[in-house]
């Protein structure tokens, strides 16, 4: 039996287990299982690798997309450039990190982009945001991070104005704000300045429509949650886990 799973903490919000179990059932994949491995400390991944001998692949979610890297043997070139991993391929010799977030996000947001969408605000500066920035760079969209602390190349939430929200017409939530069970929370934005020219994308998919997205919708903005992105990155991960090294080199 081949084993796959998800590491992160907490994992109560995750649909990954349900998604893969449904996939195995509908596609009649009988030799595989998918389990949740909530790790309170990333150091616990060492024990997981030792104990779960049949483990062939892992997805990685918050807060370990960056810190897991030191426990791997190698990185795919794209994951190395991004500096974050959300997919691990495991065999008898190596544990290799990949990033399927960036491509999943890119293909999820692409159909919504309009000519005026030239700049994006990235809410949060963790591992997820690194993949989003990489994808937007490929789409030739300029980015600026919004965080609680001031640094050279970012905005603080308190600095956001109507002018900024007009110039940076795409806003992407890469924080866990509003994620189940804290569904009443939302990033601290001046939502009254949003309008129909804004595009709001939330990496959160549970709940389906976060307060962040609700507030955007009330202002006439285009909104999208992270469910399709989750589905796409899961399928890309499945491809990686089921491609042997010779095929990858081809």
């Amino acid at each position: 039996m081949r084993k796959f799973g998800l590491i992160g903490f907490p994992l109560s919000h995750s649909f990954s287990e349900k998604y893969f179990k449904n996939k195995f059932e509908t596609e009649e994949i009988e030799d595989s299982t998918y389990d949740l491995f909530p790790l309170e400390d990333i150091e616990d991944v060492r024990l997981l690798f030792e104990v779960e001998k049949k483990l062939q692949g892992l997805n990685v979610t918050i807060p370990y997309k960056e810190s897991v890297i030191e426990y791997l043997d190698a990185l795919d070139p794209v994951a190395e450039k991004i500096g974050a991993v959300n997919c691990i391929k495991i065999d008898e010799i190596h544990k290799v990190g990949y990033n399927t977030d960036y491509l999943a996000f890119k293909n999820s947001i692409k159909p919504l982009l309009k000519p005026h969408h030239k700049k994006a605000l990235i809410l949060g500066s963790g591992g997820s945001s690194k993949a989003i920035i990489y994808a937007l760079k490929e789409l030739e969209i300029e980015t600026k991070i919004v965080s609680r602390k001031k640094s050279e190349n970012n905005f603080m939430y308190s600095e956001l104005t109507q002018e900024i929200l007009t110039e940076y017409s795409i806003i992407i939530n890469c924080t866990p704000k509003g994620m189940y069970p804290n569904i009443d929370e939302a990033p601290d934005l001046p939502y009254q300045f949003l309008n129909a020219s804004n595009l709001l994308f939330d990496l959160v998919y549970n709940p389906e429509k976060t307060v962040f997205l609700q507030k955007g919708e009330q202002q006439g903005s285009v909104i999208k949650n992270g469910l399709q992105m989750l589905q796409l990155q899961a399928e890309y991960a499945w491809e990686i886990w089921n491609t042997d090294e010779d095929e990858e080199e081809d």
Side-chain angles (χ1 to χ4, degrees):
M1 184 65 70
R2 306 165 71 216
K3 294 194 76 168
F4 304 93
L6 174 71
I7 61 169
F9 195 85
L11 295 180
S12 58
H13 70 282
S14 177
F15 285 170
S16 293
E17 182 181 28
K18 183 180 177 182
Y19 181 82
F20 275 103
K21 286 187 173 178
N22 183 61
K23 177 182 175 65
F24 297 158
E25 190 175 319
T26 56
E27 297 181 22
E28 298 182 352
I29 299 168
E30 297 179 352
D31 67 337
S32 301
T33 63
Y34 192 97
D35 299 294
L36 299 182
F37 301 105
L39 305 180
E40 291 194 40
D41 190 310
I42 188 57
E43 178 71 24
D44 296 337
V45 78
R46 290 186 192 275
L47 182 61
L48 180 66
F49 289 145
E50 288 175 16
V51 172
E52 296 289 348
K53 298 294 185 185
K54 293 182 179 179
L55 206 53
Q56 294 191 14
L58 286 172
N59 291 123
V60 184
T61 189
I62 54 175
Y64 300 138
K65 293 186 180 185
E66 295 166 291
S67 56
V68 75
I69 290 174
E70 68 174 285
Y71 300 93
L72 305 178
D73 301 304
L75 292 180
D76 169 77
V78 172
E80 192 166 12
K81 286 177 187 173
I82 292 171
V85 161
N86 74 308
C87 172
I88 303 170
K89 185 175 183 179
I90 303 165
D91 61 29
E92 298 85 359
I93 306 168
H94 297 116
K95 301 169 191 71
V96 182
Y98 295 81
N99 192 299
T100 64
D101 273 340
Y102 95 94
L103 191 57
F105 169 76
K106 182 180 174 182
N107 290 333
S108 186
I109 198 172
K110 207 171 178 180
L112 302 177
L113 296 176
K114 300 286 191 290
H116 69 275
H117 290 137
K118 299 186 185 304
K119 295 185 179 182
L121 293 178
I122 310 296
L123 310 183
S125 56
S128 295
S129 68
K130 290 185 172 183
I132 303 312
I133 291 168
Y134 187 88
L136 290 171
K137 188 176 180 182
E138 287 195 344
L139 292 167
E140 299 182 341
I141 293 173
E142 189 180 317
T143 60
K144 198 100 165 178
I145 288 174
V146 182
S147 61
R148 286 169 292 183
K149 295 179 181 177
K150 185 64 182 170
S151 66
E152 190 177 337
N153 191 36
N154 79 331
F155 291 123
M156 291 178 65
Y157 285 94
S158 58
E159 294 177 316
L160 297 178
T161 62
Q162 184 172 6
E163 185 180 6
I164 290 171
L165 295 192
T166 300
E167 182 182 358
Y168 290 81
S169 54
I170 305 171
I171 306 174
I172 300 155
N173 180 33
C174 298
T175 78
K177 280 268 186 180
M179 184 172 71
Y180 178 85
N182 303 310
I183 61 173
D184 295 326
E185 295 182 356
D188 187 16
L189 303 178
Y191 292 95
Q192 69 272 21
F193 297 141
L194 297 174
N195 57 49
S197 67
N198 289 105
L199 165 58
L200 272 60
F201 192 109
D202 201 334
L203 268 60
V204 173
Y205 51 83
N206 183 11
E208 186 178 331
K209 195 180 289 184
T210 57
V211 173
F212 169 70
L213 294 182
Q214 290 175 41
K215 287 177 176 286
E217 189 175 47
Q218 287 164 9
Q219 298 298 119
S221 303
V222 175
I223 64 169
K224 184 160 187 174
N225 70 14
L227 185 58
Q228 185 189 24
M229 179 180 164
L230 167 79
Q231 294 166 341
L232 289 173
Q233 68 83 16
E235 289 302 323
Y236 298 150
W238 185 247
E239 281 181 34
I240 289 168
W241 296 334
N242 290 280
T243 302
D244 62 38
E245 289 181 16
D246 292 334
E247 288 180 72
E248 286 181 18
E249 289 171 6
D250 293 344

